[in-house]
Amino acid sequence: MSESCLFCKIVSGAIPAGKIYEDDQVLAFHDIHPQTPVHALVIPKRHLSSLDDLQATDRGEAGHLLERVAHVARELGVADAGYRTVINTREHGGQEVDHLHIHILGGRRVGPMVSR
Ligand code: 5GP
Ligand code: ZN
């Protein structure tokens, strides 16, 4: 838990979010500014600042997180048509919230992967 972290506050319930899925390690909720008809964020409940903070000892947790991303996408009904997953890391990656999160973007065909 990081006191100043927005997503830690969502995990603790201090800030409300449209929750989609929750277990002891993972939380999924709707993005507040959806870029596609379906736009969800899946996060580890434990504070990790970015993908770059993952350690070799976190492999089990990371595997669970990724499997739950696929589960949430199925629950949201976008799995058959397909969806985009995105992890932005630090400044050049366009990361705005410093708590590791995986975007699920679906409900329409998304454009090229990198905009200029
Ligand atoms: P990033 O740019 O860091 O990869 O993505 C951060 C995402 O968090 C953005 O898509 C943004 O819309 C979303 N976001 C920022 N603040 C909030 C919030 O308070 N609640 C929710 N549900 N999403 C948020
Ligand atoms: Zn956090």
Side-chain angles (χ1 to χ4, degrees):
M1 167 93 187
S2 165
E3 295 289 327
S4 59
C5 172
L6 179 66
F7 286 175
C8 282
K9 288 178 184 162
I10 287 178
V11 170
S12 74
I15 291 178
K19 287 186 187 174
I20 302 163
Y21 171 84
E22 181 170 20
D23 65 25
D24 58 332
Q25 292 176 36
V26 169
L27 178 66
F29 52 95
H30 295 284
D31 196 291
I32 203 165
H33 294 127
Q35 297 183 22
T36 45
V38 171
H39 186 174
L41 302 171
V42 186
I43 69 171
K45 286 187 168 178
R46 182 168 76 94
H47 180 83
L48 288 166
S49 295
S50 78
L51 188 65
D52 191 53
D53 275 23
L54 264 189
Q55 307 291 318
T57 49
D58 300 327
R59 281 176 185 153
E61 188 182 356
H64 176 67
L65 178 67
L66 192 58
E67 187 277 328
R68 291 290 87 184
V69 169
H71 172 81
V72 168
R74 276 196 301 276
E75 292 280 299
L76 290 169
V78 298
D80 285 348
Y83 54 93
R84 172 82 45 88
T85 43
V86 173
I87 303 175
N88 296 321
T89 302
R90 297 194 173 139
E91 192 183 343
H92 284 192
Q95 184 176 4
E96 289 175 2
V97 178
D98 290 339
H99 181 129
L100 174 60
H101 51 281
I102 302 175
H103 295 257
I104 298 174
L105 298 153
R108 67 167 168 81
R109 186 182 295 270
V110 293
M113 195 163 69
V114 176
S115 58
R116 289 162 196 272

